[in-house]
Amino acid sequence: MSILSSTPPLRGPEGTGLRIEGEALLLRQPQEEVLIPLKAVARLRAEGRGVAIELTAAPGAVPAVLRFEDVDEAAAVAFADAVNAVLPEEPEAVDGVQYLAGDRLGDRHATLLIRRLKRMALYGTLVIVALSVLVCVTGHPAALIAIIPSGFFGLLFLVLGTGGGYPVYEEWYLRRHGVTVTADRVPGRPGQYVYIDPMGLERNVRKFASTWTIEVAYDRRDPGRVVALRSRGMRGLDIAMAGSGLLIGFLGAAGAVAATVVALLGVGGF
């Protein structure tokens, strides 16, 4: 059994890890996997609770470095030593980034948003049902004609307004905390642009525009999380639409609560 095949993988939080996969390293991050052929690796460095994977580089170029954090220190040292033992003492003087291959998962933040919207819809429905039951058991069933339409109408617009506001928040967050770079149009592929992340990897972003370049912003910790930046006018339009949806939603919800209160007080004929 070879040294590599007997080397246990490094395991990190949230299912992340770094392991040997044939003649390559497989780096699994929360949002993507990167396959790193050993011919693209110059050396590994154990750095406390992390491992730095230094790639080969062309003469005079600064080598790209991939990092994997939050692992056991002793395991990091053992893993780095095992991989370095089979690497050539003089790595090839080529850009190792060209050998990398990646597979990205869906947008984790969008997935969390969808879950929250589902919970919002569920909890809102339970509240409407509870208000309906309350007015019925207290002898005011006529109030249902106001509670049910107003409640579900408001809930619908609250969900739509929250979902519509997500792209606005995403762009605001990445503008403020991310890195802004220029993406170049891919010849022959309308709407597809390419930008270079800190490791030197080419990453795609879509935007239908009549320009050769566009500005994009990506997350420093997750370069695959990216948005194409828009004009102030377009952002303002989205904010206005999302805000209008939320306002209508709150008015509908307030109407359902008000109808319940009026019914319990015996006002308005309910």
Side-chain angles (χ1 to χ4, degrees):
M1 183 179 294
S2 67
I3 296 177
L4 286 182
S5 61
S6 61
T7 303
L10 291 177
R11 302 191 184 280
E14 301 180 11
T16 60
L18 177 63
R19 69 173 188 264
I20 309 297
E21 192 82 7
E23 294 297 316
L25 301 176
L26 182 64
L27 173 61
R28 175 174 290 175
Q29 302 283 27
Q31 285 300 112
E32 63 187 354
E33 287 184 341
V34 181
L35 190 67
I36 313 166
L38 292 180
K39 64 181 179 180
V41 179
R43 60 173 178 158
L44 267 65
R45 301 192 303 271
E47 300 178 344
R49 290 177 53 82
V51 173
I53 307 168
E54 182 180 313
L55 303 183
T56 58
V62 177
V65 177
L66 291 78
R67 301 183 186 278
F68 182 55
E69 308 288 347
D70 296 327
V71 297
D72 180 77
E73 291 189 31
V77 172
F79 189 90
D81 289 344
V83 175
N84 288 333
V86 299
L87 295 177
E89 294 185 6
E90 294 294 333
E92 294 185 34
V94 295
D95 185 4
V97 173
Q98 64 181 311
Y99 298 120
L100 304 187
D103 183 19
R104 185 167 180 80
L105 300 175
D107 187 340
R108 179 168 58 97
H109 302 277
T111 301
L112 291 175
L113 173 67
I114 292 173
R115 290 177 183 173
R116 289 167 182 167
L117 292 178
K118 289 180 178 179
R119 289 175 186 170
M120 178 189 295
L122 173 61
Y123 295 155
T125 300
L126 292 178
V127 170
I128 295 170
V129 171
L131 294 178
S132 301
V133 171
L134 178 62
V135 297
C136 287
V137 298
T138 54
H140 305 284
L144 294 178
I145 62 175
I147 294 173
I148 293 178
S150 182
F152 281 108
F153 183 78
L155 178 60
L156 172 63
F157 274 87
L158 284 174
V159 171
L160 292 177
T162 303
Y166 172 74
V168 177
Y169 167 78
E170 182 81 343
E171 183 171 349
W172 170 84
Y173 177 85
L174 292 178
R175 276 180 179 272
R176 186 178 180 87
H177 302 286
V179 179
T180 300
V181 296
T182 298
D184 296 314
R185 187 175 183 179
V186 179
R189 297 183 182 180
Q192 185 167 330
Y193 292 80
V194 171
Y195 65 100
I196 307 298
D197 74 4
M199 294 186 302
L201 291 176
E202 290 188 349
R203 295 183 180 269
N204 296 323
V205 60
R206 297 192 65 83
K207 180 180 180 180
F208 288 96
S210 58
T211 57
W212 295 111
T213 61
I214 60 173
E215 281 194 329
V216 301
Y218 64 82
D219 193 334
R220 298 176 187 273
R221 294 172 295 180
D222 180 14
R225 180 188 178 190
V226 61
V227 295
L229 301 183
R230 299 170 300 167
S231 66
R232 183 175 299 177
M234 292 300 297
R235 298 199 308 272
L237 179 61
D238 278 358
I239 292 173
M241 293 181 64
S244 298
L246 291 174
L247 178 60
I248 294 173
F250 281 121
L251 290 175
V257 174
T260 303
V261 173
V262 169
L264 295 178
L265 294 176
V267 179
F270 288 139

